[in-house]
Amino acid sequence: MNNDVKLMKGNEAIAHAAIRCGCDGYFGYPITPQSEIMETLMVEEPWKTTGMVVLQAESEVASINMLYGGAGCGKKVMTSSSSPGVSLMQEGISYIAGAELPCVIVNVMRGGPGLGTIQPSQADYFQTVKGGGHGDYKLITLAPASVQEMADFVDIGFEIAFKYRNPVMILSDGVIGQMMEKVVLPPFKPRWSNEHILNINPWATTGKTVNRKQNIITSLELQSELMEQNNLRFQEKYRQVEEKEVRYETIRCEDADYLIVAFGSCARISEKAVEIAREHGIKAGLLRPITLFPYPSKVLQQLTKQLKGILVVEMNAGQMVEDVRLFTREVVPVEFFGRMGGIIPSPEEVFHALENKFVNK
Amino acid sequence: MATEINDIIKPENLVGKKSALLTDVPMHYCPGCSHGVAHKLVAEVIEELGIQAETIGVGPVGCAVFIYNYIDIDWHEAAHGRAPAVATAVKRLMPEKYVFTYQGDGDLAAIGTGETIHACNRGENITIIFINNGIYGMTGGQMAPTTLAGMKTSTCPAGRELKNFGHPLKMTELVAQLEGTCYVTRQSVHTPIAVKKARKAILKGFKNQKMEKGVSFIEIVSTCNSGWKMSPVEANRWMQENMFPFYPLGDLKDI
């Protein structure tokens, strides 16, 4: 039996994974349903073991700007929040993207708009993949569907963030954050030494020595020609990300007539709905985008050729469905089923939606 | 003519020289603005302490947004008002470094009030340099939280009327109340003596970081002759007659 197999909440798994993957700093502000992340870190006291800094900031605005500071030093820094708090962070996220800094941001989504509800939701899809803050930038977005993926995506998130010098969002929701599952925690990795940071992050503000030019962390460029060049460089980076970082899972798609597309907790529910549909003789399959940007558009387009219909299932009013319609160019009918306000759809509901929208039509 | 000047500028004739940490980039500040002198003092202090490679600056949004072009160290250009949060993380993650913010009154005392107070209250081992000229310079002379009563700006053209616009904010008095600050002082750079005192204060503010006593907060009451619509000489006089009575110079706290 592996000693590192534990039963824990998704939020707790994020915290343990952060310590284990050599994260240098966590800066956050309490908000339901993700407060266990910082609470777990404060109980674990990693500053006594790995030297990781954990700080409760005065606001989400402060925490995201602490990430700007920490990431600029070439350190692995992360924050977490839930929807209203992530709205507050959007200015800082735009600056981080504009200054090309790597960091990991966790959003354990709850229902909105406004103060909304503390119950789960996926209504921040648009905010996450369409920009959120100002300017032309992209957040590389990982959508975990299990406690195991909550743990795994922290390290993967940092790897991708540093590879592209871009913020990475782990877009989770109140279901995945709060539910307890079996999880194999990742092995301990040491934090990066200062020498290592000097080698791999030559852009970081490690202190200007006589041997090099100043390192300046900024998103400012007042000369339009140069600012356009910056933007073109970012766009080229996002194109590279689209080419190389797409992640997805397909379940029973080989012979599927109908495809459910869902991410995060809705994908878990839809997986069960696929089983129910198969029991009823309906050939259903599931495409679970793991990265929401970059979107698995190619596999979606490939699968579309064999399909009679696509059902997009989300805990919102229909956000990702717009992208599915765009990427498939609606060569097959694309329907939507969603619940809002913190209501979690049941597998039976999803199955009935599939049945009613396509099979019994 | 040029050769004649070069004949005079010889090492043995020099009474002072530009800090090696000040770059050759011409400053964009208006003639008469206090920023140039304040920048020079920061550069001189870092040079004197020999900590160029150990110092990380955090710049503001406002007139000093391009401070990184003038002082030859590593910099973070923070979002408007967020410099103390940025500096908090830099210092916590690299406690061996000297970390300071350089912020104007709009940045520090309006949009960044929360970050300023909480960084001060946590007692971060950083130095905050606060340029208070009572106006938003970069955006063209709007009312700042520190604008004096009756003072005219583009958003209070009839003068700051307290009933509508509230009272000028004394940030320095405010942060002096907090347990997390160790050295809180108000200085100016309008005369050679004032410049010397301000330099001493900045030096002390940097040295304090090694003693881990908390935030050193140095306000520099400054001129914005363009925003105030005055000549540099008039602006200096106006500052002494109007700013200093409300923002008196001197140490408020020194632990």
Side-chain angles (χ1 to χ4, degrees), chain A residues 24-25 27 53 55-59 61-62 65-70 72-73 75 77 91 95 194 204-210 212-218 220 222, chain B residues 23 52-56 61 65-66 68-69 71-80 82 85-86 88-90 92-94 96-97 111 114-116 118-119 122 124:
Chain A
D24 295 299
F27 304 89
V53 169
L55 183 63
Q56 180 170 337
E58 64 270 30
S59 68
V61 175
N65 282 283
M66 288 172 183
L67 255 64
Y68 183 89
C73 305
K75 304 275 185 179
V77 286
E91 178 207 38
Y95 276 68
N194 288 343
T205 56
T206 46
K208 191 220 169 280
T209 54
V210 282
R212 71 154 164 86
K213 286 185 175 173
Q214 288 173 281
N215 282 342
I216 298 162
I217 304 300
T218 183
L220 177 67
L222 290 185
Chain B
T23 65
Q52 181 186 26
E54 284 91 58
T55 305
I56 314 294
V61 170
V65 71
F66 287 121
Y68 54 72
N69 284 335
I71 302 178
D72 189 24
I73 55 169
D74 281 356
W75 284 97
H76 287 233
E77 171 45 44
H80 198 27
R82 315 300 174 215
V86 174
T88 293
V90 174
R92 294 245 179 174
L93 289 160
M94 301 194 298
E96 72 282 6
K97 301 288 185 199
I111 197 165
E115 285 78 4
T116 304
H118 285 281
R122 283 192 301 265
E124 303 295 341

Side-chain angles (χ1 to χ4, degrees), chain B residues 227-238:
Chain B
W228 297 355
K229 305 194 189 319
M230 293 174 195
S231 73
V233 175
E234 275 176 330
N236 255 352
R237 192 185 309 125
W238 191 88

Side-chain angles (χ1 to χ4, degrees), chain A residues 14 26-29 31 34 37-38 60 63 78-82 86 89 104-108:
Chain A
I14 290 250
Y26 171 94
F27 304 89
Y29 185 81
I31 183 171
Q34 63 79 52
I37 298 176
M38 185 160 52
E60 290 89 347
S63 26
M78 69 183 284
T79 186
S80 65
S81 189
S82 180
V86 178
M89 291 184 185
V104 171
I105 304 155
V106 182
N107 181 359
V108 183

Side-chain angles (χ1 to χ4, degrees), chain A residues 109-160:
Chain A
M109 286 183 280
R110 59 188 254 183
L115 200 49
T117 172
I118 59 170
Q119 304 297 334
S121 165
Q122 295 181 317
D124 301 347
Y125 177 89
F126 280 155
Q127 185 193 57
T128 311
V129 304
K130 304 296 180 193
H134 58 284
D136 285 308
Y137 73 90
K138 290 283 187 188
L139 265 179
I140 302 168
T141 306
L142 295 164
S146 63
V147 173
Q148 186 63 58
E149 283 189 337
M150 289 286 257
D152 294 344
F153 286 1
V154 178
D155 193 33
I156 292 170
F158 276 120
E159 269 184 36
I160 298 175

